[in-house]
Amino acid sequence: MSNDSTKVARDVDVLSVENITVSAVGKNSSIRLVDDVSINLKAGKITALAGESGSGKTVTAMAILGLNKERGARIDGGDIRYGGRSLVSLTDKEMHTLRGVEIGAVFQDPSNSVDPMYTIGNSLREVIRTHKQVDAQGANRIAIQALRDAGIDNAEERMDVYPSQLSGGLLQRVMLALAIVLNPKVIIADEPTTALDVIVQARVMRLIRQLADRGAAVLFVTHDLGLVSEYADEIHVMYAGHVVESGPVHNVLKQPKHPYTSKLIEANPSADTRTDRLTTIPGGVPTPGEIPAGCRFVDRCAFAIEGCEMPQVLEAYGIEHSVRCWRSSSVAESLHRRDS
Ligand SMILES: Nc1ncnc2c1ncn2[C@@H]1O[C@H](COP(=O)(O)OP(=O)(O)OP(=O)(O)O)[C@@H](O)[C@H]1O
Ligand SMILES: [Mg+2]
């Protein structure tokens, strides 16, 4: 990798999602999918976006990548700032270039991202030569280095194989190589390891950690708090289309303030050693279009009292920690009592 870790600026905001709303737009109606989401991606940091299925993680990630339109949704409020520019106002062509060069993407299913008709080498060389002034030999060198950086052994030999000849774990790393080959400043990784066995999963996560350590700002979308606790620096917990709690991983996972975060931790024992039983949260995430006006977790919340049906705002709770629950001090107190 060409980044020199000694010169990397850390903790600097690289990309800021500012209060975005995303809606699915039909002919005569629109449904709000994601509401008032703000996330700062910082150089050298992995920011996790966590929450149950259907909470809006992928919609948020796609908004950053400018890919929601293809899925019938659009950003209709707020802004996404990157390098002094508003990404929301870029044309599809400008966004396409930015995505290739400065913002890398890794998804859960590599088969949609790696062209089955091309050898691995051809896919990589095409990305390189589209965006860089290099000759064939130069492109080859960069491609082989990207495969090595993505943890692929025998990189030279892998250049000549087709995706169908590779295992799922290797293909996932090829997708990572494609995402990092142009040394992007931002990496959006949406469930990058969900389809992998635990050993390959750990290897891919370590690679993502290394990329952050070398200066990339990473958004790591996951439902796995164990991985968050091991690899991420910051976390935003999403529920029913908005962020309910955010802050440094050690604060949020050790001292959750939102009842939903606390329940998620109980359901993910590896993320927290306080519990030895697996808890599932009764009920389901409200679907877009059926979101209650007040607290969205109210129907599933053990702390709910009268007043919780009122809208909640995301409020600061100590330094860098924020929570969208006016009962948060009772939650914190109850967890403290349980621990002591
Ligand atoms: N284009 C769309 N049109 C209508 N509804 C959509 C669209 N895209 C997403 N949704 C809905 O928005 C909600 C959030 O979807 P999203 O894919 O962001 O969830 P997620 O948090 O990534 O879940 P998972 O963990 O299963 O990947 C879901 O209820 C989904 O069905
Ligand atoms: Mg998703």
Side-chain angles (χ1 to χ4, degrees), residues 221-275:
V221 174
T222 185
H223 58 267
D224 187 334
L225 293 188
L227 291 179
V228 172
S229 140
E230 200 169 345
Y231 296 101
D233 303 289
E234 315 266 333
I235 180 170
H236 294 256
V237 179
M238 277 196 90
Y239 185 76
H242 66 188
V243 172
V244 292
E245 184 159 9
S246 62
V249 165
H250 58 93
N251 287 8
V252 174
L253 295 189
K254 290 291 162 211
Q255 296 178 315
K257 303 286 185 281
H258 197 287
Y260 177 62
T261 313
S262 161
K263 280 285 175 201
L264 265 191
I265 293 168
E266 281 180 39
N268 276 263
S270 59
D272 187 292
T273 48
R274 282 191 310 231
T275 176

Side-chain angles (χ1 to χ4, degrees), residues 162-206:
Y162 286 87
S164 61
Q165 296 171 274
L166 296 175
S167 69
L170 267 174
L171 206 52
Q172 192 73 5
R173 276 175 274 169
V174 168
M175 181 164 47
L176 195 59
L178 280 161
I180 64 175
V181 67
L182 297 173
N183 211 4
K185 293 189 174 67
V186 179
I187 296 168
I188 308 295
D190 187 349
E191 307 269 9
T193 64
T194 305
L196 306 177
D197 69 58
V198 283
I199 294 170
V200 183
Q201 182 180 63
R203 196 160 175 196
V204 171
M205 285 312 302
R206 281 200 297 272

